[in-house]
Amino acid sequence: MECYIGIDLGSTTTKAVILDAEGRIVGRGITNSRSNYDVAAQVAKQEAYTNARFEMLSRILRDETGVDKEERESLESHLTAAYAHECFLGQLSRLEQHCRTDLDNPRFDDDRRELLQSVEVIMQGIREHAHRNFQPSATARSDFFRDIAGAAFIDVAAEISRGGGPAFDKLVGMFDRNIIPVENEQETRSFSELLTAAYGRLPDGLRSSVAGLPDTLKAVADTPMEEVRTVGTGYGRVRLPFPKDCIRSEILCHGLGAHLMFPATATVLDIGGQDTKAIQVDAQGVVTSFQMNDRCAAGCGRYLGYIADEMNIGLHELGPLAMASKRRVKINSTCTVFAGAEFRDRLAAGQEREDIVNGLHRAIILRAMSLLARSGGIKNEFTFTGGVAKNPAAVRALREVGEENYGELILNIAPDSIYTGAVGAGTFAMRDVAAGVGANQEAA
Amino acid sequence: MTTAIKDASQDRQKTMIAEHFGKLSRAKEDGRKVVYTFVPGNLTELLLNFDLLPVLPEINALQSGMRGKTGDYIQLAEKSGHSEDVCTYVKADIGMLKSGNIGPTGEKLPDPDLLLLSYTGCFTFLKWFELLREEYDCPVVMLHVPYQGDGKITGEMRDYVVGQIRDVLIPELEKLSGKKFDEDRLREDLKRSAKAEDDLVWVLESAKHKPSPIDAYFGGVYYIGPIFTSFRGTEDAVDYYQLLRGEIEERLAQGLGPITPDGVMEEEKYRIVVEGPPNWTSFREFWKMFHSEGAVVVASSYTKVGGLYDRGFRHDPDDPIGTLADYSMGCYTNLNLPDRIDLLEKYITDYDADGFLINSVKSCNSFSAGQLLILRELEKRTGRAGGFIESDLVDPRYFSAANIKNRLESYFQMIEAKRTKG
Amino acid sequence: MTISAGIDVGSGAVKVAIMGVEGGVEKILGSYLERIRRRNVMDVVDESFESALRDAGVRRDQLAYIATTGEGDLIPWRTGHFYGMTTHSRGALYLDPEARAAIDIGALHTRAMRFNEAGRVLQYQMTSQCASGSGQFLENIARYLGVSIEEIGPLSLNSDNAEKCSSICAVLAETDVINMVSRGVSTPNILRGIHNSMAVRIAGLVRAIKVEGVVLMTGGLARDAGLIAALQDKLKDGAAKLAVRGHELSVYAGAIGAALWGAFRHDKLTHQEASSGGT
Amino acid sequence: MSIAAPPQTQATGRLGEIIALAQSLYEDIAFKAVADWKAKDKTRRAIGFLPVYVPREVIHAAGGLPVGIMGGGDMTEIVRGDSYFQSYICHLPRSVIELLVSGRLDSMDGFLFPSICDVIRNLSGMFKLLKPDRYVHYFDLPQNFRSNLGGTFYVSELKSVAGAVSAMTGTPVTDERLRESIKVYNANSRAMNALLELRIEKPWLVPAAEYYLLLRAGFLLPVDEHTAMLNEYTLLVQQSDRRALDNIRVMVRGAFCEQPPVALLRTLERAGCYLVDDDFVVGSRFIPDPIAETGNPWDALADAFMHHSLPAASVYDEKHEKAKKLVDRVREVRADGVLLMAPSFCDPALLDQPMLQEALEQAGIPFTSFKYSEDTGQFQVIREQAGTFADAIKLWGTV
Ligand SMILES: Nc1ncnc2c1ncn2[C@@H]1O[C@H](COP(=O)(O)OP(=O)(O)O)[C@@H](O)[C@H]1O
Ligand SMILES: Nc1ncnc2c1ncn2[C@@H]1O[C@H](COP(=O)(O)OP(=O)(O)O)[C@@H](O)[C@H]1O
Ligand code: SF4
Ligand code: SF4
Ligand code: SF4
């Protein structure tokens, strides 16, 4: 299969999509951006390939086996969860390894034994957490190893130090130091190895539910996927590990991506981790004007991240929590770093958690509104993209504020909205190849 | 900064300025009195009438900016209690004062014998001289110039200003200088002003040609120098503008583009109208962002802060005091927002510009408050590409070259896109 | 002996100091610090208060005054509350009797204050709505770089070629740091770069209050030798009469100062009562 | 320093009702009260004016209702307002534009922009463009204070406003009517002074937030209703059982235009500061002494503005006596210190500060300064600053 790849190296997350020769999205991958762009891009791409193969599997199961829908879905979700679990355990054992090696440092001479013991307890704790978390029915707090493992790490560490073990700070410091190398290493096992391992984790009943499942899995794993061209975009684009002519500005990519997803798009709002963009596009998806936040990250996605951290809940849970609010609390400061303090203040003042969180969402949207206003207002159709578009409370606030001020809106949000920039980039890759421009892509 | 600009007129101007500062440095020994005052709507001819020497703190601030001194000056002022938020011209001036009041030629500027607070088009002027008054033991005279809020100069406004000039200013200046007001001399000086003004207008309007022989913003700030400052009404100014006009006539005949610090501009790719003052601390770098892209500024509002001569105003020797009043009330910063927009719109069409660009400076509320509405209105009315960048006059902390360059590049691309489409 | 407690509730950590004052001699009897890290503040307060009492070997009923500072006015069982700059100045003076100014860099705010030989605050300046250059910011960066807070200082001191850090926003600076790492800039050079940019801002505050003489760093970041070095560097030129110092107990300055003011107030009140024959 | 958490000054009964009314007027950013007032009589007209000072007598005499437009406070969500102003311009004009474009100023038949700064000045032009069908006037206040120059000019401005409002209402401003209006406003300013005196004497009876809300009510209510409100409040509050706290007495300067949020005032009081004098909504008492009720009323108004008004950063200090007046006032109200609080990005207020600071320093009066904006939501810094300020004075007494 011919693959065109778009990679969006965001400030918070790195997204990759794979487009087939017809420009359909066949795979998506996302990972958190990190200090090593190469790795981030590789990991996202790898994830996208994995995702593409799972989609392939899904198609085969649907079209080529007689298995009924319910059973098929059960199999797929189990297999996906088991695959993720497998990857997680791989990373976890690397984390453990790094923690142990780290403790060889002479400055731990005094309490090495205690710390090593704690590591053991913590790892065991995380494994147990993971066991629950990777049930097909479980809703994950986050997609990323750092977040899932980190939260569990903190929980167990707090317990240990409360019980008279090493100081909490010391334990958590261990995580902070060692998560970095883990993130910067890639999974060493191949897709096929991981898939086989995941297959091994399936309950017996499921394993035999489809005749010849192992062969099907092998076929999926062996299907060749050929990377024709990759185009990169995003915050880190000046440092992208790509040849210069395979790089596009994120504004252009977002505009085009939104246009492709919703051809009648006139205005695009993208709220990412550290930046917010308001873009106006014409009928061909060409950007006509735009505004971005400069110099200050107030009111971006990262803000929600800090709040979720503060409450020790997952990003996914934040929106639903806010949706439960019935009152509106007005929040004025959107400085990302102050968010936690403001949250605590308000709690102390007796305000409800969900109302505060709801207010925080509205505050973000209000910030975005001023960028939108500066770029020329909201015109129909209006497409909302970026990570924050996944958040139902942010969407609700956007719709409310938008309609109060600009009348009725056609508000588009694609399930793939976080991939908008990557889709734009992938499409530029296709167009470049079609037009015969651009580099030969060995380098990527 | 002017090494590459070798026109005779430039040399001439330099000499004039050097002479002026020379006079200033000798003022005390020569027994000449010094008056500090502001540029917009200034009363140069009136000061000339009493042989007073003007010092323009705004010009000092901008020149300090060009010489890279303002960063320190501003910090010094902030250290003494000035807020980060306020106009940096004021802070640069206060900082310069605190560092010994060394002028652009390296000589110490004389202390003022009078602060002439001609209050035209900006409230900050008022505070500025209230602050200077704390430092110098000298009188302040206020000339309150009412704003053209409703877009016109009413009889009451004119009477008010004329009355102040006649009943307040002239007596004070007479007292200070020990000289009597000489109306005939004023008429003679005003005649010379008008003559120089004719030539200036011709020069500015030469930008209507394609390609334009001048850059009416980056080059323009040099062309307006003498007439906006201390030379109006002098023979020097008349000569300078004749010389300048001759040079431009020459360029026009040869079909040449403007001179930039990096040589003659090759191809005129974009014709732009600019609103707002330039940045001084990175003036050359800023200019380069334009000329290296083939962008020529064909008209600008900043070059009208010292008078809207191209809209027909001339100093009128037949009504000497009235004309000074009209001049004070008529400069660009005293126009209301709707009139500013009309004027810019007219420039865009008259000079056949591809687009307009606003350089919004943090310091100057007088210019900046409302510029985003100007942008939108002009886009709507002219359908041409509008651009918006932000910087500051003399605060190096607010000039982000990468940011501005980025915006300018996308802006020029937008013009290109508009062209290929329609 | 008058025994008093000072509780400094910060946005990053709770600090408690137990002080004894007798005949003009002030002594620190016990102390405790606990970082909050996403836990309920009041629980952390209770825990740290008990631990500090244990450390001092003092019973609760022996305390003449429980003084709070920082966000501590939320504690219902306090005797009185003093504001941060009042307490940090007093604490700084206790820790370093030569000090005539203090710079307190906490998790979110930076403050600079000038005081006299009696600990009376004369002038002060504080950062406002923006968290750039704060402890939280440094903490985020450290987490990104995978170094623990304690290592920041020593690493930064090892820098040979400090990187220029332009971003003023605590959040955007993270991205800057990512860029530096991917360009292969070493961790010490990144940290020193960040320290330098923080120092510029802090120096601005210090200049604004016209300090001369010894300046003591208080608050959590006083433990950061790298920041102190950067600040010493920045303040060297121009104001030659400045000496920036740290103290190993600097982080307790607020708590110490609160306890001392509490004791002072207690003595004053009992004195008043005594002289007025009680009420 | 506070020994215990200060008890919340809760107003109950009739006093509570008055405060509740003032609060609801303050929160009425859609100016419903104005629409209601107009609905009672088809010929009624309301004229909105921006801070600082506008002689409301003239509008009143022409049968109009002068309504203060003091910004959107922290109650207005800024959606489009930000698109009209760069980040380095103060907050007030954004919320005012927001109110305008969202239709919340529709009940105003005209707008006056007194000359206090370039931002307000340019805002007048923006209103002209955005509301071409309304009366929009930049009301130029003289900076020359001679009656034959500034005075004459000012009277011409007054007459131009009177003419415009009269044309809307059909009520010409005769000298007689204008004198009557001056009387009505003099009564208001007497009520205001009585309250201010009480506050200076017993600040615990008149909490800053309540005082502030009452001031704001005066910019919305018809003047006689407001006078009655003030008188009733002043009477009732003296009968209340409010007790004094261990707070210091401070005076506020610099807040003449963009208004701080009410929560900020409460924060200051909680941090241990009684506000005994301030320049909030300064236009409501800009001319403290009664204006001449006989003679030529136009000249009386001009004379009052030019020679009997309070100092403000936007008025030229011709006699060079601003510093002295400040120090005198501190002594007069027996303030322990001064809070110089100015709106962020406000050139007039911030450029004034160094001069005021110098004067206070010379006089040995403690002061502290900070910036705010009308939608400031984080008070920690301000609380710390004010609290430390109060601590210092309490622990060590005044100078
Ligand atoms: N499932 C989710 N639910 C809610 N918010 C999310 C979710 N996933 C991501 N986000 C938000 O999106 C932000 C990242 O958005 P993204 O567009 O990936 O940013 P960038 O392009 O700058 O890396 C995060 O900070 C987070 O707030
Ligand atoms: N050794 C250290 N080096 C650098 N930073 C430190 C060190 N120890 C503590 N900190 C920082 O100090 C901050 C806490 O300081 P503190 O004065 O307690 O703040 P607050 O009073 O706001 O809670 C934290 O942000 C932490 O990152
Ligand atoms: S505000 Fe503008 S016009 Fe006024 S002094 Fe500053 S730069 Fe000049
Ligand atoms: S306010 Fe907060 S988000 Fe904005 S620049 Fe400052 S630290 Fe960054
Ligand atoms: S707050 Fe200051 S700058 Fe803003 S409108 Fe008012 S006076 Fe002007």
Side-chain angles (χ1 to χ4, degrees), chain B residues 78-246:
Chain B
E78 288 178 1
K79 198 177 147 188
S80 72
H82 280 277
S83 164
E84 228 176 276
D85 294 356
V86 301
C87 171
T88 51
Y89 264 11
V90 182
K91 286 186 286 186
D93 187 41
I94 303 249
M96 177 168 125
L97 178 79
K98 289 190 188 293
S99 355
N101 225 13
I102 305 300
T105 49
E107 285 153 314
K108 187 176 180 313
L109 288 172
D111 286 356
D113 297 295
L114 179 83
L115 296 169
L116 172 53
L117 173 42
S118 60
Y119 169 90
T120 301
C122 164
F123 274 84
T124 303
F125 290 154
L126 172 75
K127 298 279 114 186
W128 193 337
F129 275 8
E130 279 187 4
L131 284 159
L132 283 196
R133 175 171 68 183
E134 302 292 321
E135 310 284 338
Y136 297 113
D137 186 25
C138 76
V140 188
V141 184
M142 151 72 88
L143 171 67
H144 176 209
V145 176
Y147 180 62
Q148 294 194 35
D150 290 331
K152 53 181 189 285
I153 298 173
T154 63
E156 286 85 359
M157 286 160 71
R158 200 166 190 270
D159 291 347
Y160 180 36
V161 179
V162 167
Q164 290 178 79
I165 297 178
R166 178 162 293 140
D167 300 350
V168 183
L169 255 57
I170 292 182
E172 280 289 343
L173 297 176
E174 284 180 337
K175 202 165 88 196
L176 177 75
S177 63
K179 294 202 167 86
K180 287 263 12 112
F181 171 56
D182 178 350
E183 189 163 320
D184 291 333
R185 176 170 169 194
L186 183 57
R187 283 178 212 279
E188 286 310 307
D189 291 344
L190 289 170
K191 251 185 231 158
R192 276 191 288 273
S193 297
K195 202 160 160 211
E197 286 155 7
D198 281 339
D199 284 334
L200 170 71
V201 170
W202 186 92
V203 167
L204 291 176
E205 291 192 334
S206 71
K208 287 182 178 164
H209 290 272
K210 288 186 187 173
S212 165
I214 63 164
D215 185 293
Y217 186 55
F218 296 104
V221 301
Y222 293 99
Y223 305 152
I224 59 174
I227 209 132
F228 282 10
T229 60
S230 330
F231 301 100
R232 213 175 48 240
T234 65
E235 207 51 63
D236 270 347
V238 174
D239 292 351
Y240 168 78
Y241 284 102
Q242 260 167 6
L243 190 61
L244 177 65
R245 178 174 175 162

Side-chain angles (χ1 to χ4, degrees), chain D residues 20 31-32 55 77 97 125 127 132 164 177 183 195 202 267 291 320 333 339 371 374 388:
Chain D
F31 295 95
K32 247 193 106 277
E77 289 182 337
I97 284 279
F127 266 60
R177 283 191 64 94
K183 275 186 201 152
L195 180 58
K202 300 178 175 168
T267 301
I291 300 176
H320 204 167
V333 302
L339 298 181
K371 293 188 281 188
E374 60 178 11
T388 303

Side-chain angles (χ1 to χ4, degrees), chain B residues 16 65 75 132 204 281 383:
Chain B
M16 285 158 68
Q75 278 198 351
L132 283 196
L204 291 176
T281 43

